[in-house]
Amino acid sequence: MAARIASVQTTSPEEAIQQANDILCGTETAGGQPGLLSLADNQTAGLVARHLTVGSVLSACVLDQNLRECLLEELETHRARFPQLLPSSTELFWIISEGRRHPAKVADGRLQNSHMNFSLTLQRDELVANLRAGRIVPNLLLTFMALCILPDLACFGGHRQMIYIELFKAALGAALKRTRRFQETVGGKSVWLPDGLQPSCHPLSLLVAAPSPLALSINLLGTKFPRDLLPRTRLDYIDPHWYAAVTSNASQQ
């Protein structure tokens, strides 16, 4: 597998991720499971650093003040609509100190945390150097942009991830439209791995057996959740806000 991934040769981060996934998903492991690409924090930080060195959409979202402000405004609009489902955490990057993540805010062209006396200019060279040194890592928005949305790939994860990705796509699409910076198609999709149904069963085997993925629909709160499936997940107890939002939406369909 390492040799196959090493054979990827391309000039853009999006193409590299696409080629790597094509290689992995075109093979099967000994257990018959599909091959998937998974990146750790430092690898994702390196990928975002690569984006920042070229004129990609992600690069513009971070470095172009007008587009960056529009994107953060759009995200705040969605956060106001779904305050329990998309809580405020950090803007663009997390600060890493003594192995722990700390939130940051963007103000006056800088990434800041006043309690830590941390301030970093949102300039290409400084961001790239700090990403590669492990002093900052991308937040969920930039992570999903690099791994799922821009390369237009499927991203697998938990129940809230579906909402995150759809909100990020909506915010990114609106910001690009407002600023008219790129004629970019906002792609990517998220798939829920309902491992709460069968804790002893590996989630990937559920995907192999499923006739179609359980994906979030365009209206942000899914309509493809079978009525007899949700109660068995116990998400009404684990995540009552999400459960209430989805079941309320389903009852209106």
Side-chain angles (χ1 to χ4, degrees):
M1 184 177 293
R4 289 174 176 171
I5 295 302
S7 70
V8 171
Q9 295 184 5
T10 181
T11 57
S12 75
E14 294 91 344
E15 290 177 1
I17 291 292
Q18 180 70 60
Q19 288 184 25
N21 274 273
D22 287 343
I23 290 171
L24 290 177
C25 293
T27 64
E28 292 188 348
T29 64
Q33 301 288 3
L36 299 173
L37 182 65
S38 175
L39 298 183
D41 271 356
N42 63 328
Q43 295 170 307
T44 305
L47 178 61
V48 170
R50 287 183 59 196
H51 271 274
L52 292 176
T53 62
V54 298
S56 72
V57 176
L58 189 154
S59 176
C61 286
V62 175
L63 303 177
D64 184 294
Q65 181 179 352
N66 188 26
L67 179 55
R68 181 177 68 237
E69 290 177 352
C70 286
L71 179 57
L72 293 177
E73 287 173 5
E74 293 292 338
L75 284 172
E76 190 56 40
T77 298
H78 288 302
R79 185 174 291 115
R81 293 177 60 200
F82 303 102
Q84 299 295 341
L85 300 180
L86 191 65
S88 178
S89 54
T90 190
E91 294 182 343
L92 301 182
F93 299 95
W94 290 96
I95 302 166
I96 304 300
S97 177
E98 297 181 352
R100 299 182 61 183
R101 297 188 182 198
H102 301 271
K105 294 296 180 183
V106 174
D108 301 323
R110 303 184 72 88
L111 188 73
Q112 304 182 41
N113 182 313
S114 57
H115 296 293
M116 298 178 61
N117 196 28
F118 179 94
S119 182
L120 184 69
T121 62
L122 291 173
Q123 299 295 322
R124 188 190 313 273
D125 293 344
E126 193 166 356
L127 288 172
V128 168
N130 279 270
L131 282 166
R132 290 176 174 168
R135 288 188 286 268
I136 59 175
V137 294
N139 71 347
L140 280 181
L141 167 66
L142 297 184
T143 295
F144 284 134
M145 282 179 64
L147 299 182
C148 170
I149 297 173
L150 294 180
D152 194 15
L153 300 175
C155 196
F156 301 90
H159 57 285
R160 285 209 169 198
Q161 182 193 90
M162 297 188 303
I163 293 176
Y164 293 153
I165 292 181
E166 291 302 317
L167 291 175
F168 293 157
K169 286 164 58 177
L172 176 59
L176 293 174
K177 184 177 180 180
R178 283 174 56 185
T179 57
R180 300 179 181 179
R181 284 282 283 108
F182 290 88
Q183 297 296 321
E184 185 76 15
T185 300
V186 180
K189 63 180 179 179
S190 53
V191 179
W192 175 29
L193 294 175
D195 50 326
L197 296 179
Q198 303 178 40
S200 62
C201 182
H202 193 285
L204 289 182
S205 64
L206 298 177
L207 280 180
V208 174
S212 63
L214 298 174
L216 189 68
S217 65
I218 195 63
N219 62 3
L220 301 181
L221 296 175
T223 61
K224 296 184 179 180
F225 297 95
R227 298 296 180 86
D228 63 342
L229 183 149
L230 280 173
R232 298 204 303 273
T233 65
R234 301 307 302 158
L235 289 170
D236 55 332
Y237 174 77
I238 297 172
D239 199 342
H241 295 295
W242 180 91
Y243 185 87
V246 171
T247 52
S248 173
N249 178 263
S251 67
Q252 297 173 10
Q253 303 300 316

